[in-house]
Amino acid sequence: MATILDEQSRTFNEYLIIPGYSSSECIPANVSLKTPLVKFSRGEEPALTMNIPMVSAIMQSVSGDRLAVALAMEGGVSFIFGSQSIASQAAMVQRAKSFKAGFVRSDSNVRPDQTLADIVAITASTGHSTIAVTEDGTPEGKLMGLVTSRDYRVSRMDPNTPVHEFMTPMERLIWAPEGTSLREANDIIWDHKLNALPIVSKEGKLCHIVFRKDYDLHKQNPNELLDEHKRYVVGAGINTRDYAERVPALIEAGADVLCIDSSEGFSEWQKRTIDWIRSEYGDRVKVGAGNVVDADGFRYLADCGADFVKVGIGGGSICITRETKGIGRGQATALIDVCKERDKYFEETGVYVPVCSDGGIVYDHHITLALAMGADFVMLGRYFARFDESPTNKISINGTYYKEYWGEGSARARNWQRYDLGGDRKLSFEEGVDSYVPYAGSLKDNVQLTLSKVRSTMCNCGALTIRELQQKAKLTLVSSVSIVEGGAHDVIQKDNTAVLGTK
């Protein structure tokens, strides 16, 4: 007969945190939410560290390039969904990577003999208002001038007007020589009240452009997560089928970290994928794996060389894997089991493999519980799907706004690669649903509110770091009655008085 575990499979909502001693230093402003994203050896620093413990799910309805930028601004990482063509996913990664940088390679360029119509077309397709005019129309050509929205008026000019007649020519431009530091470039921008500063080589060729808006964005987002070139850190999802074609394209596009997107990760398919990446790129390319729900699954993926391991099967709000297949485990129990094995693995090998809790987060405090149980960060789908920056439509139903949200195992997504077990290349049955979630506004406002709750709870435990929280937090199981007791009860809430009056 099957091995039967006597322990009940529990969820986050069955636990509460018991507050501990808080010193006067334990105030939210002093809390650091920095956390490792990828594995590292004892005594070393991880190659990638996040400023907040949040990543977005590898889903069509969640992680596009807009959300990748918005989340990186707050200090987290988005994993752009892989259930699309390789070219379109790589383009998303490239757009997110090029959205902000200290020194930007110009990707909107024209020749002097092109026309206003060409300028309008480029602006419409890219959204860029600053276009470099180079001798040959290439990003590295000899700089002849710049065109900005202040140089032309579409309503009063002939579309066939040559660019050289209305551009700001080189002799009237303020520019800086190659080798100028970012600090020096920003000083020039501020001193001369510029929006853009070209960086030009000794031969007169365009090297980069530094934009004022990048400086402003940095000051507005002190937690933003940047790579060594001052570009946003961006992740991307891959599968265990076309990795040999998809991975090179994503790396070329600039992806900083990859993650194998699979409903169940304790498989030879994941090992083959990681082995191929290691054979082609060594440890230079970072790749997470999963999902697993027990110590054996974690140990297998850690031994395969995964840079982080995702935990969770069937706990997502749109996931029906447990209903259709009868596999999975309560998210809290799975996380506790895996994190114990992670710590044991670290003691044995000296290699720390971060754990990502994926699924089961309903309330903000569940994030704190997941971190206390050992997670290094959480992956969220429904949470991010509600925001302006997710790639789905906002619709009104009976006067209330919602956003569309569907699972990768739904008939709408048909992401067979995520659920494939090596058989026919198709989705044989659904493991996800198509749904709506209440519209919640901007990512920035919501993430900051959520993390203010996390920081406050950490202070209640006397913890100023996630590691301290894991060491100091005390968790208690709660009964169904105490769950009711924890909410508003035995009162008539004011929001409901109007309803009472109509009955």
Side-chain angles (χ1 to χ4, degrees), residues 128-302:
H128 298 163
S129 59
T130 299
I131 298 173
V133 184
T134 60
E135 193 172 48
D136 57 3
T138 65
E140 296 86 15
K142 184 177 181 180
L143 184 63
M144 309 300 290
L146 287 182
V147 173
T148 72
S149 57
R150 293 176 298 180
D151 292 317
Y152 61 89
R153 294 184 70 177
V154 175
S155 60
R156 297 192 178 185
M157 293 173 61
D158 184 342
N160 294 315
T161 304
V163 168
H164 65 80
E165 290 188 11
F166 60 87
M167 72 181 185
T168 301
M170 188 66 178
E171 56 267 23
R172 287 169 44 201
L173 282 179
I174 294 173
W175 53 274
E178 187 177 11
T180 300
S181 70
L182 186 58
R183 180 184 295 275
E184 291 169 337
N186 282 319
D187 286 343
I188 295 171
I189 287 173
W190 281 95
D191 290 344
H192 295 275
K193 299 181 180 179
L194 305 175
N195 288 323
L197 178 71
I199 307 298
V200 183
S201 72
K202 288 186 292 186
E203 294 78 22
K205 294 185 176 182
L206 178 62
C207 299
H208 300 96
I209 302 178
V210 179
F211 291 95
R212 173 191 288 266
K213 68 179 179 66
D214 290 347
Y215 178 87
D216 293 339
L217 283 172
H218 174 68
K219 292 303 179 184
Q220 294 167 15
N221 301 284
N223 272 338
E224 62 185 358
L225 193 59
L226 305 175
D227 66 16
E228 60 183 359
H229 302 294
K230 305 296 184 183
R231 300 173 303 182
Y232 286 126
V233 173
V234 178
I238 61 174
N239 61 68
T240 59
R241 286 300 183 185
D242 65 6
Y243 53 83
E245 296 79 34
R246 190 173 295 269
V247 170
L250 295 175
I251 298 305
E252 176 67 22
D256 298 279
V257 58
L258 307 175
C259 184
I260 302 173
D261 183 27
S262 174
S263 64
E264 202 282 300
F266 196 173
S267 74
E268 182 182 344
W269 303 109
Q270 299 234 341
K271 183 179 188 303
R272 289 185 184 182
T273 304
I274 296 171
D275 284 347
W276 184 88
I277 291 173
R278 295 292 175 247
S279 68
E280 295 294 317
Y281 298 97
D283 291 330
R284 180 169 64 86
V285 170
K286 307 302 180 184
V287 56
N291 288 18
V292 299
V293 292
D294 65 0
D296 291 340
F298 170 85
R299 175 72 65 155
Y300 175 78
L301 292 179

Side-chain angles (χ1 to χ4, degrees), residues 339-416:
C339 289
K340 284 180 180 177
E341 188 66 18
R342 184 267 320 278
D343 293 343
K344 181 180 176 183
Y345 189 86
F346 181 51
E347 288 300 316
E348 292 176 5
T349 67
V351 177
Y352 186 91
V353 182
V355 166
C356 170
S357 179
D358 178 17
I361 302 290
V362 180
Y363 304 108
D364 288 344
H365 76 270
H366 288 173
I367 296 176
T368 320
L369 281 166
L371 297 174
M373 291 172 182
D376 296 280
F377 54 96
V378 297
M379 177 172 276
L380 303 162
R382 179 196 61 85
Y383 178 90
F384 287 117
R386 304 172 300 148
F387 303 149
D388 288 318
E389 296 84 358
S390 72
T392 62
N393 296 319
K394 183 175 73 172
I395 61 174
S396 175
I397 301 177
N398 296 326
T400 301
Y401 281 110
Y402 297 86
K403 293 209 74 175
E404 295 178 294
Y405 180 46
W406 60 91
E408 289 296 293
S410 67
R412 182 171 184 174
R414 302 206 65 81
N415 183 3
W416 64 268

Side-chain angles (χ1 to χ4, degrees), residues 34-155:
K34 287 183 179 292
T35 192
L37 176 59
V38 297
K39 68 182 179 184
F40 59 95
S41 297
R42 184 182 283 112
E44 297 180 352
E45 291 295 319
L48 288 171
T49 298
M50 295 189 294
N51 293 327
I52 63 172
M54 301 172 79
V55 301
S56 67
I58 311 169
M59 301 177 69
Q60 295 175 9
S61 55
V62 178
S63 297
D65 51 289
R66 281 190 67 208
L67 193 127
V69 169
L71 185 51
M73 283 183 179
E74 299 307 309
V77 173
S78 181
F79 286 89
I80 291 176
F81 70 93
S83 51
Q84 58 179 316
S85 72
I86 295 173
S88 61
Q89 186 187 20
M92 280 190 175
V93 171
Q94 194 168 42
R95 286 198 296 272
K97 290 298 293 184
S98 64
F99 181 85
K100 178 186 182 300
F103 294 95
V104 179
R105 181 179 183 271
S106 179
D107 54 4
S108 293
N109 312 280
V110 294
R111 299 184 312 275
D113 61 344
Q114 289 184 257
T115 65
L116 175 60
D118 295 318
I119 296 291
V120 172
I122 290 173
T123 300
S125 64
T126 65
H128 298 163
S129 59
T130 299
I131 298 173
V133 184
T134 60
E135 193 172 48
D136 57 3
T138 65
E140 296 86 15
K142 184 177 181 180
L143 184 63
M144 309 300 290
L146 287 182
V147 173
T148 72
S149 57
R150 293 176 298 180
D151 292 317
Y152 61 89
R153 294 184 70 177
V154 175
S155 60

